[in-house]
């Protein structure tokens, strides 16, 4: 393993040195991130002008954005019946976790913004905080160049345009990235609070909780170099106690609201969602491979293989446990979920640790060559994002 690919040991001293000048150190990465996302928005605006469409509507008033804005304005309690073959499914707003609509309501009450525009503002600010957190993780473990490459790769994902929508992905990734960073630095209470907030943002908040809990468990194993300080152990236990409160609290509230222990699972079932170990997704890929959409099925198969290869590479590079747990759980939940399969790329958007092997490879290149490659990826992402939002788009 090269020096570049060898993770650093995150100590309190190194964490403090990084935090002392973190904004100045992260500035180039944040500028590159902002430039990539602005390119995506510019291409979307041009595409929308040609298609006589409103880019504002595409970003703030379609699909899940409407549900979040409705919750922000009126609270929970809305549902709609949707025909699904011979059956009728009930789509309930209880499927959406509350932190984003809470923030939308707060901003709408203290400013002239509508709830939808408040969602756009939350997403814009959260995406910058998320980019900062992604950089902080990459920089702490592998250095500034790798951290910058990681940020731009995350911005240039094919569905990166979602980071600029009134969706919860940017908010969740911001909380998750800084939560993982806090675990790497041994700041257990901070990690617990961020995990709890992530658990109030999306169902996959369980991945952040798992990263906190499993890392703490590994730290406390006999024979491991865990903390021996009683005060630090108390902070660890407090962080562990706080971490699941957001996710468990909302799921429990839905259960009380629906008068069912399985209330949240029932709500997801009404949307046709749930977890079956990936059987439905495998069946969907099989249908594509044996039908007229063979190329689409082959592309899906290659995409899944690439994701699994990236995760195995992360393991072989001996990335720190919090990253492996968080990225692995996000990947597992996304691939094992049934429902609308077109949403899987969006569900994988927070899995930034999977991009680390590519970021490390880019960091080894000459800066000009790496910049050209990342710029080309950003342009492709911008074109695809505009095409995607003018088509089926995210559900």
């Amino acid at each position: 393993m090269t020096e570049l690919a060898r993770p650093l040991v995150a100590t309190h001293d190194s964490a403090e040195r990084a935090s002392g000048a973190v904004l100045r150190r992260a500035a180039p990465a944040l500028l590159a991130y902002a430039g990539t996302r602005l390119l995506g928005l510019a291409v979307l605006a041009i595409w929308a002008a040609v298609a006589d469409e409103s880019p504002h509507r595409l970003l703030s008033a379609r699909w899940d954005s409407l549900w979040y804005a409705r919750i922000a304005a009126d609270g929970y309690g809305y549902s709609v019946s949707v025909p699904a073959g011979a059956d009728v499914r009930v789509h309930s707003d209880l499927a959406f976790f509350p932190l984003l609509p809470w923030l939308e309501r707060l901003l709408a009450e203290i400013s002239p913004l509508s709830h939808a525009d408040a969602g756009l503002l939350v997403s814009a600010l959260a995406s910058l905080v998320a980019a900062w957190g992604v950089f902080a993780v990459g920089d702490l473990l592998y250095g500034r160049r790798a951290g910058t490459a990681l940020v731009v790769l995350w911005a240039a994902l094919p569905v990166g345009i979602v980071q600029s929508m009134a969706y919860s992905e940017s908010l969740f990734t911001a909380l998750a990235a800084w939560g993982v960073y806090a675990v790497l630095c041994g700041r257990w209470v901070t990690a617990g609070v961020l995990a709890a907030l992530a658990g109030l943002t999306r169902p996959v908040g369980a991945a952040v909780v798992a990263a906190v809990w499993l890392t703490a468990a590994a730290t406390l194993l006999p024979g491991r170099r865990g903390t021996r300080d009683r005060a630090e152990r108390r902070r660890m236990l407090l962080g562990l106690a706080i971490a699941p409160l957001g996710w468990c609290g909302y799921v429990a509230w839905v259960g009380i609201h629906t008068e069912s222990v399985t209330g949240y699972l029932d709500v997801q079932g009404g949307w046709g969602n749930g977890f079956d170990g990936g059987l439905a997704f495998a069946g969907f890929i099989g249908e594509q491979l044996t039908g007229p959409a063979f190329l689409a099925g082959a592309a899906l198969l290659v995409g899944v293989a690439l994701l699994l290869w990236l995760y195995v590479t992360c393991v072989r590079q001996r990335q720190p446990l919090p990253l492996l747990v968080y990225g692995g759980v996000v990947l597992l939940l996304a691939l094992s979920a049934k429902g609308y399969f077109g949403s899987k790329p969006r569900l994988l958007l927070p899995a930034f640790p999977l991009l680390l092997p590519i970021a490390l490879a880019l960091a080894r290149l000459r800066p000009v060559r790496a910049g050209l490659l990342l710029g080309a990826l950003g342009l492709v992402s911008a074109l695809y994002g505009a095409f995607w939002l003018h088509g089926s788009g995210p559900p």
Side-chain angles (χ1 to χ4, degrees), residues 18-384:
S19 62
V22 66
L23 182 56
R24 184 172 62 254
R25 185 171 178 82
L30 295 180
L31 288 174
Y33 172 81
T36 304
R37 293 288 3 110
L38 287 174
L39 175 62
L41 293 175
V43 171
L44 176 63
I46 294 170
W47 197 303
V50 173
D52 194 25
E53 178 61 271
S54 166
H56 178 268
R57 188 183 77 88
L58 292 173
L59 294 171
S60 68
R62 288 185 76 185
W63 307 295
D64 292 3
S65 300
L66 293 173
W67 288 85
Y68 283 122
R70 183 181 289 113
I71 295 169
D74 304 322
Y76 285 99
Y78 178 81
S79 62
V80 59
S81 298
V82 179
D87 300 323
V88 175
R89 289 178 177 171
V90 178
H91 291 185
S92 168
D93 58 9
L94 293 172
F96 298 91
F97 277 52
L99 186 58
L100 176 58
W102 284 350
L103 293 175
E104 289 180 345
R105 173 178 288 185
L106 175 63
L107 281 177
E109 289 180 350
I110 65 175
S111 73
L113 294 175
S114 67
H115 293 98
D117 288 339
L120 284 179
L121 179 59
V122 171
S123 185
L125 296 176
S127 68
L128 289 172
V129 177
W132 192 356
V134 170
F135 168 80
V137 170
D139 180 35
L140 180 67
L141 297 177
Y142 300 106
R144 191 177 191 179
R145 288 179 60 187
T148 301
L150 182 63
V151 167
V152 180
L153 282 171
W154 185 65
L157 287 172
V159 295
I161 190 66
V162 175
Q163 298 165 19
S164 301
M165 298 178 67
Y167 268 49
S168 60
E169 273 75 9
S170 290
L171 178 61
F172 174 77
T173 306
L175 296 167
W178 283 109
V180 169
Y181 180 83
V183 176
L184 290 170
C185 297
R187 298 172 180 171
W188 294 103
V189 176
T190 300
V193 171
L194 291 170
L197 291 173
L200 282 172
T201 307
R202 293 189 61 79
V204 75
V208 190
V209 178
V212 175
W213 276 49
L214 291 181
T215 304
T219 302
L220 295 174
L221 283 175
R224 296 296 299 271
R225 291 180 58 190
T227 175
R228 299 177 182 275
D229 182 75
R230 289 185 178 181
E232 190 166 350
R233 281 178 177 265
R234 286 196 293 268
R235 288 193 294 269
M236 179 186 289
L237 294 176
L238 179 58
L240 292 179
I242 294 172
L245 293 182
W247 191 92
C248 292
Y250 182 69
V251 170
W253 180 83
V254 172
I256 294 171
H257 189 79
T258 58
E259 300 181 347
S260 171
V261 174
T262 60
Y264 186 75
L265 294 177
D266 298 338
V267 168
Q268 287 286 0
W271 283 82
N273 297 328
F275 298 95
D276 62 358
L279 293 177
F281 186 39
F284 175 76
I285 294 176
E287 290 175 3
Q288 305 300 304
L289 291 173
T290 57
F294 172 81
L295 290 179
L300 283 173
L301 201 59
V302 170
V304 172
L306 175 61
L307 289 169
L308 295 176
W309 176 80
L310 285 172
Y311 186 73
V312 170
T313 303
C314 291
V315 174
R316 294 181 63 184
Q317 289 179 341
R318 292 184 292 176
Q319 290 181 13
L321 184 61
L323 288 174
L324 294 178
V325 172
Y326 168 72
V329 173
V330 174
L331 178 62
L332 176 65
L333 293 179
L335 294 183
S336 64
K338 61 182 181 178
Y340 182 69
F341 301 116
S343 65
K344 290 194 180 294
R346 180 172 64 85
L347 298 178
L348 286 163
L349 189 64
F352 68 90
L354 299 182
L355 299 172
L356 269 168
I358 305 174
L360 289 172
L362 287 169
R364 296 188 187 99
L365 299 178
R366 294 180 180 274
V368 173
R369 182 175 297 180
L372 289 174
L373 286 173
L374 290 170
L377 285 175
L379 180 58
V380 172
S381 172
L383 291 169
Y384 180 79

